[in-house]
Amino acid sequence: MWFAVLALVVLPLLVLVYFELGALHRRRLLKEFNGPTPIPVLGNAHRIGKNPAEILATFFEWWHDYGKDNFLFWTGYSSHIVVTNPKQLEYILNSQQLIQKSTIYTLLHPWLGFGLLTSHGIKWHKHRKMITPSFHFNILQDFHEVMNENSSKFVEQLKKASAGDSIIDFQEHANYLTLDVICDTAMGVPINAMEQRDSSIVQAFRDMCYNINMRAFHPFKRSNRVFSLTPEFPAYQRTLKTLQDFTYDIIEKRVEALQNGSSQQEQDPSLPRKKMAFLDTLLSSTIDGRPLTRQEIYEEVSTFMFEGHDTTTSGVSFAGYLLSRHPDVQLKLYQEQCEIMGDDMNRNASFQEISQMKYLDMFIKEVQRVYPSVPFIGRYCDKDYNINGSFVPKGTTLNLALILLGYNDRVFKDPHHFRPERFEEEKPGPFEYLPFSAGPRNCIGQKFALLELKTVISKMVRSFEVLPAVDDLVSTDGRLNTYLGLAPEEKLKREAGRHKYDPVLSAVLTLKSDNGLHLRLRERGSSICI
Ligand code: HEM
């Protein structure tokens, strides 16, 4: 009897006291950080929200409550700091040691292994050094050709989909476009996702990205062990195998083709230079004097296919959505296209012409300020750190909140106004606006991404007038139709008038809209500017 009481009451109490004392100690260590008061066992988990959209809204509220500065919250007994202070961001992003990613990235391990995005330590340092030349100017020019070809196909697809004033989910269309671009540039193999949406490989990409996002904030499915017991697990394994088989197969074929191709070129040097894919660069690279193993090549190619398509899907889709809501901005973009592209608005813009499109550049910057493709960067403190004077104990997760930075009215005047021109007038400091991160682990694909976004949007603006799903949804005052970051009363007031086609922002690894991004397209009748 006494033994049963001990087992049922006293032991759990002792465990609770043990954890509470540990937490008390950690809370003392972290006392300089403001944040919501945690309760035993749950910390703040009960208040954080049930899904990514709610969690994002809570982060904005807490940020508002704690003076638009860093804040601390707890899930159970785990401490998390949301970092928005530029001084601390600078310290973290410049650190050569604080480079271990947070646990959310473990969801990527089965598919991507330990490629550039997910690895750390010596492996990351060596691979980063080896991969950096893959984005050399000449290679980017080859990639630009692929971007142009796919943008033209994209426009043709959109013409069909939007015929008869149909409302389309632009986010979905953008997903297939960016998949085509990345497969062709990373592996040198077109997968025709735009034309063959139901092919097994296209579905596998879609299912895998869905799975990662779905599990990221799920209380149970986040754990690999628990997820392996769910009914969804067998389908997930099939998807994983499809992606792995596909990529390994391409690698083998590319090795063969390169061997044959190089011997042909040796015999006849007048043959045209073959377009280089990222995979080719990897195949000819070495680490410590040895070629990369098949697994290392697989990990890096898969990393590029994930990071290079999920992010640009978000970038292209929010850019299209914002065009539809802000006709005045769209008109300025169109006028710039007329000035630079001259009489023939249907041709491809050259690499040099893209670099002359200054308003387009500011437009993309402004899109990334309000809807950054990567809303948070997660880092894990593998030991105690002193972050610019603040002590942060081992085991703390740091969420670098790139999305909150864009709404800081101390840096961006009237941040809910969508106004590309602000980038001519306001100069945010280097750690006040960070869509591509900064420091040694910044986005290695930044130039590639900007080139792709600009190539696609330049072509779209010349081909279509982009309209909102319903005419009334046009922004008449230049303000955004999403209300994150507004003071609570104003947010409530505006949300009461929310339309079903207003986006529901959801931030997991990339920013998406849970209910799609809907718009209409009207073909521009003439290819000549008036
Ligand atoms: C709008 C498009 C993009 C945005 C906003 C973006 C943003 C970012 C950000 C914020 C990071 C840091 C993430 C972190 O530390 O967790 C990152 C890392 C990375 N990005 Fe991008 N990215 C974009 C497109 C691309 C593309 C097109 C590629 C490849 C072709 C790419 C490849 C990578 C890789 C490999 C890393 C990891 C770098 C490392 O840890 O050394 N990204 N990106």
Side-chain angles (χ1 to χ4, degrees):
M1 166 73 178
W2 282 112
F3 183 74
V5 171
L6 188 74
L8 287 171
V9 181
V10 181
L11 270 182
L13 263 178
L14 283 177
V15 172
L16 186 67
V17 169
Y18 171 79
F19 277 110
E20 275 299 308
L21 285 177
L24 204 67
H25 176 61
R26 289 178 74 76
R27 272 178 224 145
R28 268 198 218 112
L29 293 174
L30 286 160
K31 68 177 182 305
E32 76 168 84
F33 293 95
N34 287 322
T37 311
I39 61 169
V41 182
L42 291 177
N44 306 108
H46 60 302
R47 286 184 54 197
I48 199 167
K50 294 184 291 298
N51 54 46
E54 283 185 16
I55 294 170
L56 183 62
T58 310
F59 276 12
F60 266 97
E61 269 169 40
W62 284 343
W63 185 59
H64 213 272
D65 293 349
Y66 299 103
K68 298 190 180 162
D69 205 339
N70 307 334
F71 61 85
L72 167 73
F73 71 97
W74 298 79
T75 54
Y77 295 108
S78 307
S79 46
H80 305 255
I81 300 173
V82 173
V83 189
T84 62
N85 182 302
K87 285 263 174 290
Q88 263 124 0
L89 285 169
E90 179 173 4
Y91 176 94
I92 297 163
L93 291 173
N94 278 339
S95 166
Q96 290 282 353
Q97 289 183 11
L98 221 175
I99 57 168
Q100 190 165 329
K101 296 294 173 84
S102 64
T103 54
I104 198 166
Y105 295 78
T106 53
L107 289 169
L108 296 168
H109 290 165
W111 177 23
L112 310 184
F114 292 87
L116 209 51
L117 182 68
T118 41
S119 58
H120 59 274
I122 291 184
K123 175 168 179 178
W124 172 79
H125 275 283
K126 287 190 174 168
H127 281 232
R128 176 87 193 196
K129 201 166 150 215
M130 182 254 313
I131 289 171
T132 299
S134 307
F135 291 95
H136 185 272
F137 182 77
N138 288 345
I139 300 180
L140 266 186
Q141 283 197 324
D142 281 351
F143 290 166
H144 189 218
E145 227 177 280
V146 176
M147 292 167 188
N148 265 324
E149 279 162 26
N150 282 292
S151 302
S152 301
K153 275 194 205 158
F154 185 52
V155 163
E156 291 312 311
Q157 291 267 325
L158 291 176
K159 281 183 188 167
K160 282 187 221 145
S162 63
D165 210 28
S166 303
I167 298 174
I168 59 167
D169 180 357
F170 188 63
Q171 187 171 252
E172 202 190 327
H173 286 274
N175 179 46
Y176 297 113
L177 158 76
T178 56
L179 198 49
D180 274 341
V181 171
I182 202 66
C183 286
D184 206 349
T185 47
M187 297 187 299
V189 175
I191 62 162
N192 300 324
M194 283 188 276
E195 278 140 29
Q196 294 163 20
R197 297 176 172 201
D198 295 331
S199 72
S200 56
I201 184 65
V202 174
Q203 278 190 20
F205 272 109
R206 199 178 49 209
D207 293 349
M208 182 55 82
C209 291
Y210 170 80
N211 182 284
I212 292 164
N213 286 325
M214 176 275 290
R215 287 176 61 200
F217 291 114
H218 196 284
F220 310 115
K221 292 180 187 168
R222 170 88 174 260
S223 139
N224 282 338
R225 201 162 295 160
V226 176
F227 185 62
S228 69
L229 303 172
T230 64
E232 291 129 298
F233 188 65
Y236 166 79
Q237 277 191 306
R238 282 195 297 277
T239 301
L240 183 60
K241 187 162 179 337
T242 306
L243 290 168
Q244 287 170 336
D245 289 352
F246 174 76
T247 310
Y248 273 116
D249 187 46
I250 303 273
I251 295 172
E252 289 313 323
K253 288 195 178 126
R254 201 74 185 171
V255 172
E256 265 173 49
L258 271 183
Q259 282 161 355
N260 296 340
S262 60
S263 56
Q264 271 173 23
Q265 196 140 35
E266 272 158 28
Q267 284 162 20
D268 183 359
S270 67
L271 281 174
R273 188 174 67 89
K274 182 96 184 58
K275 203 170 68 187
M276 283 285 271
F278 172 62
L279 172 56
D280 299 325
T281 318
L282 291 178
L283 287 168
S284 57
S285 302
T286 53
I287 284 185
D288 296 334
R290 63 159 178 86
L292 275 74
T293 64
R294 291 288 191 273
Q295 190 186 334
E296 284 170 329
I297 292 174
Y298 166 86
E299 289 175 340
E300 298 304 354
V301 170
S302 301
T303 296
F304 270 58
M305 291 198 299
F306 166 70
E307 186 68 10
H309 117 264
D310 213 34
T311 49
T312 46
T313 297
S314 169
V316 169
S317 5
F318 280 107
Y321 160 78
L322 285 161
L323 284 176
S324 78
R325 299 289 175 111
H326 299 271
D328 48 337
V329 170
Q330 190 177 163
L331 181 64
K332 286 183 196 163
L333 281 169
Y334 182 67
Q335 283 164 347
E336 182 180 72
Q337 294 299 310
C338 290
E339 278 160 29
I340 293 175
M341 299 301 289
D343 286 348
D344 186 1
M345 293 285 271
N346 289 331
R347 69 187 170 84
N348 291 336
S350 68
F351 198 73
Q352 209 215 346
E353 281 164 334
I354 293 280
S355 64
Q356 288 166 12
M357 299 174 182
K358 300 293 174 217
Y359 195 74
L360 178 60
D361 184 62
M362 290 192 287
F363 169 75
I364 300 290
K365 283 194 175 113
E366 181 71 339
V367 174
Q368 287 293 324
R369 175 183 73 81
V370 293
Y371 302 130
S373 304
V374 178
F376 295 94
I377 296 177
R379 293 279 162 94
Y380 176 78
C381 295
D382 55 335
K383 58 184 177 98
D384 294 346
Y385 281 95
N386 185 321
I387 299 182
N388 196 48
S390 304
F391 181 80
V392 178
K394 178 178 173 177
T396 300
T397 298
L398 305 172
N399 298 292
L400 317 187
L402 310 188
I403 191 165
L404 297 178
L405 297 181
Y407 292 85
N408 190 345
D409 51 12
R410 293 188 288 255
V411 177
F412 298 105
K413 199 171 147 239
D414 205 355
H416 285 83
H417 253 93
F418 184 71
R419 222 169 52 82
E421 292 81 355
R422 71 169 71 244
F423 280 93
E424 260 173 353
E425 301 149 15
E426 298 165 359
K427 296 272 176 268
F431 293 87
E432 290 175 337
Y433 169 74
L434 291 161
F436 292 96
S437 185
R441 277 211 98 150
N442 73 346
C443 176
I444 202 169
Q446 175 170 353
K447 284 193 187 136
F448 177 111
L450 288 173
L451 187 61
E452 179 173 354
L453 295 181
K454 289 178 184 177
T455 303
V456 176
I457 298 303
S458 151
K459 192 117 209 172
M460 261 194 80
V461 169
R462 284 182 275 132
S463 309
F464 301 106
E465 198 181 333
V466 187
L467 305 166
V470 178
D471 284 340
D472 290 351
L473 288 175
V474 107
S475 171
T476 48
D477 56 2
R479 289 176 75 89
L480 299 170
N481 289 58
T482 45
Y483 316 120
L484 293 169
L486 285 174
E489 321 79 60
E490 199 185 343
K491 186 169 166 238
L492 275 180
K493 206 169 75 193
R494 286 189 166 256
E495 273 191 337
R498 170 185 281 285
H499 191 279
K500 70 169 177 172
Y501 288 130
D502 284 339
V504 175
L505 297 182
S506 154
V508 189
L509 288 168
T510 53
L511 188 74
K512 295 282 161 53
S513 167
D514 267 354
N515 55 339
L517 288 167
H518 292 86
L519 48 80
R520 290 171 300 144
L521 296 167
R522 187 178 296 151
E523 271 186 63
R524 291 197 188 267
S526 147
S527 67
I528 297 176
C529 288
I530 332 142

